[in-house]
Amino acid sequence: MKITNHHSATKKIETRGLPHRLWMLSSGVAVIFLGSCSLLPAKTFDTQQSDIQAQKTTEPNPGIVPPPIFSSSGDPNFVVKVVQQVGPAVVRIDSSRTITSRVPDEFNNDPFFRRFFGEGTPQPRQRVERGSGSGFIINSSGQIVTNAHVVDGADRVTVILKDGRTFDGKVLGEDPVTDVATIKINANNLPTLSVGNSDALQPGEAVIAIGNPLGLNNTVTSGIISATGRSSSDIGASDKRVDYIQTDAAINPGNSGGPLLNARGQVIAMNTAIIRGAQGLGFAIPINTVQRIAQELIAKGKVDHPYLGVQMVTLTPENKERIKNVAGDRLNITADDGVLLVEIVPRSPASVAGLRVGDVIKSINSQPVTKIEEVQKLVEKSKIGTNLPIEVERNGQTVQVGVQPAPLPVRREG
């Protein structure tokens, strides 16, 4: 699935590509989600902190410290051991859905077509779309996590274990906003993965990816964490609410939903996307996010994300000048930083609360904000139906507004 950002105009202010709705952040790159693409035992599904400490070096010079990759494992062939340890918990997921093409109305109503087809009309045509991805077992009784785009709209989901066993999978729930889904198969005593803590990751750490890229089952690649905290707008996935982990471990279509592991064999993220035309730029959903979403999907089959209903842009000197040139005297923007509201969705929580076009958000729940990504994170952490204090600058005056977030309307692809 390819996502390319397109810039939308607003009825209120024509900003030529600057604003996007709260759940759509601006970017200029194209992302490919890899969907050509255990639950963990109860004691391990909670976020775990590793109790393995780096071993002290025996070198006489205390300034020379072995790389973490060796100091934690003590084995240059650590990848082999990790694969042997966790490989059986990684699965292949094949999905299929039937697409029925609609017969155009002119076949039924136009005499011209009736002349050729008579009273009979062409029958709707059906085709089957197939896809393949990866996943990993998080509960010994058959619960599996993968990407939502791997199973989205599927009529049938098939799970293939490394030992060759094949099961029909039931989708327990999928969340397009974070691209996480859960599946259940009827099996017991399955191998599972232990969980690391994605909040404690550092660029440069060694990582391993396991999955089924391009139909090549049980493929292993390795690399490092290239960066953490990549926002949705950074990578061009403007409809997602995830801060991604970036890695140079090779991932390709079919890796979607597979685990990204640390040197100890703990899953720290779920592989999900690459940037078209780039090399060594893979992105994964942090496991702490995967856990949180998976728990909700298993409990109630869906995830409700808080939503305000605003279109906004980060206020920079360049953006301020551009908006001034477009809007003229219609807006009196006195602030030099903050997040400018350029459209309010009718009947949305923001509209009901009294937020206005031209307001500049300065803080949310007493926490200062200067970027749309910061607004998004704070809104995501808020509670639906609970008052969320927002301080805005309006015509040079500070105004306090209380907004009650509603569930985010989710748009699905056809």
Side-chain angles (χ1 to χ4, degrees):
M1 175 171 58
K2 174 186 174 184
I3 292 183
T4 55
N5 286 344
H6 58 280
H7 298 304
S8 58
T10 167
K11 297 178 181 179
K12 299 295 184 180
I13 305 169
E14 177 59 46
T15 55
R16 300 182 183 179
L18 285 176
H20 288 261
R21 296 201 188 284
L22 179 58
W23 63 93
M24 299 185 69
L25 305 181
S26 168
S27 178
V29 294
V31 140
I32 303 174
F33 287 90
L34 307 172
S36 143
C37 327
S38 239
L39 290 183
L40 295 166
K43 65 180 181 180
T44 61
F45 194 67
D46 295 331
T47 301
Q48 298 179 349
Q49 297 286 351
S50 172
D51 59 356
I52 301 178
Q53 301 295 326
Q55 299 175 2
K56 294 184 178 179
T57 177
T58 57
E59 294 289 337
N61 185 347
I64 301 177
V65 180
I69 190 173
F70 298 113
S71 62
S72 61
S73 67
D75 184 359
N77 293 319
F78 75 100
V79 175
V80 176
K81 292 186 177 180
V82 168
V83 173
Q84 292 174 343
Q85 172 188 339
V86 308
V90 182
V91 304
R92 171 171 173 157
I93 299 174
D94 291 337
S95 62
S96 63
R97 64 174 178 173
T98 301
I99 306 297
T100 302
S101 59
R102 187 178 66 88
V103 177
D105 293 336
E106 54 262 28
F107 279 106
N108 298 316
N109 303 324
D110 195 317
F112 174 81
F113 290 103
R114 286 187 176 276
R115 184 181 308 168
F116 291 94
F117 293 100
E119 293 302 319
T121 59
Q123 296 301 309
R125 294 183 178 180
Q126 291 186 337
R127 72 179 190 278
V128 177
E129 291 185 348
R130 303 183 188 278
S132 179
S134 307
F136 51 94
I137 305 169
I138 54 174
N139 185 283
S140 59
S141 61
Q143 290 172 336
I144 296 166
V145 293
T146 186
N147 282 138
H149 71 260
V150 171
V151 298
D152 185 34
D155 302 319
R156 183 176 182 182
V157 174
T158 303
V159 177
I160 304 169
L161 305 188
K162 186 179 181 181
D163 61 16
R165 286 184 291 169
T166 300
F167 298 88
D168 288 332
K170 177 184 178 182
V171 178
L172 300 179
E174 51 184 296
D175 179 41
V177 177
T178 56
D179 202 12
V180 174
T182 54
I183 300 172
K184 178 71 169 65
I185 60 175
N186 290 324
N188 293 297
N189 301 317
L190 296 175
T192 63
L193 297 184
S194 61
V195 179
N197 178 18
S198 54
D199 288 341
L201 300 177
Q202 297 291 329
E205 290 187 40
V207 290
I208 304 159
I210 304 179
N212 309 289
L214 306 173
L216 301 171
N217 292 351
N218 308 311
T219 294
V220 180
T221 58
S222 65
I224 62 170
I225 294 175
S226 304
T228 60
R230 292 295 194 209
S231 70
S232 302
S233 59
D234 286 338
I235 74 166
S238 58
D239 62 338
K240 306 303 178 190
R241 288 192 178 184
V242 176
D243 280 343
Y244 294 91
I245 295 168
Q246 180 181 324
T247 178
D248 70 348
I251 58 176
N252 293 279
N255 271 116
S256 261
L260 188 68
L261 306 141
N262 63 19
R264 294 180 292 278
Q266 297 172 320
V267 57
I268 55 169
M270 177 193 291
N271 299 317
T272 188
I274 57 176
I275 292 180
R276 178 180 292 279
Q279 293 185 351
L281 292 177
F283 299 93
I285 304 169
I287 193 61
N288 291 6
T289 300
V290 174
Q291 286 181 289
R292 175 174 59 85
I293 299 300
Q295 285 177 323
E296 292 193 51
L297 291 175
I298 292 169
K300 57 182 183 180
K302 65 175 184 177
V303 178
D304 290 325
H305 296 272
Y307 155 77
L308 298 186
V310 299
Q311 195 169 355
M312 59 188 177
V313 63
T314 297
L315 194 58
T316 63
E318 295 80 9
N319 288 346
K320 183 176 179 180
E321 183 65 24
R322 185 184 300 183
I323 293 169
K324 182 179 179 181
N325 292 336
V326 173
D329 296 334
R330 287 178 291 169
L331 281 183
N332 178 25
I333 304 174
T334 58
D336 293 320
D337 57 21
V339 177
L340 174 67
L341 303 185
V342 295
E343 184 182 358
I344 306 297
V345 178
R347 296 178 296 279
S348 67
S351 176
V352 172
L355 286 174
R356 302 177 186 175
V357 169
D359 286 349
V360 177
I361 299 179
K362 305 298 289 185
S363 70
I364 295 180
N365 204 18
S366 300
Q367 299 187 48
V369 295
T370 57
K371 301 178 181 178
I372 55 177
E373 292 89 350
E374 294 170 347
V375 172
Q376 187 180 36
K377 289 178 183 179
L378 290 172
V379 171
E380 181 68 13
K381 292 178 181 179
S382 67
K383 294 184 178 180
I384 293 172
T386 300
N387 188 68
L388 182 65
I390 298 180
E391 180 183 290
V392 301
E393 184 174 315
R394 179 183 298 166
N395 296 323
Q397 303 294 319
T398 299
V399 179
Q400 303 289 340
V401 179
V403 184
Q404 294 187 1
L408 169 67
V410 176
R411 302 177 186 177
R412 293 183 179 273
E413 292 195 357

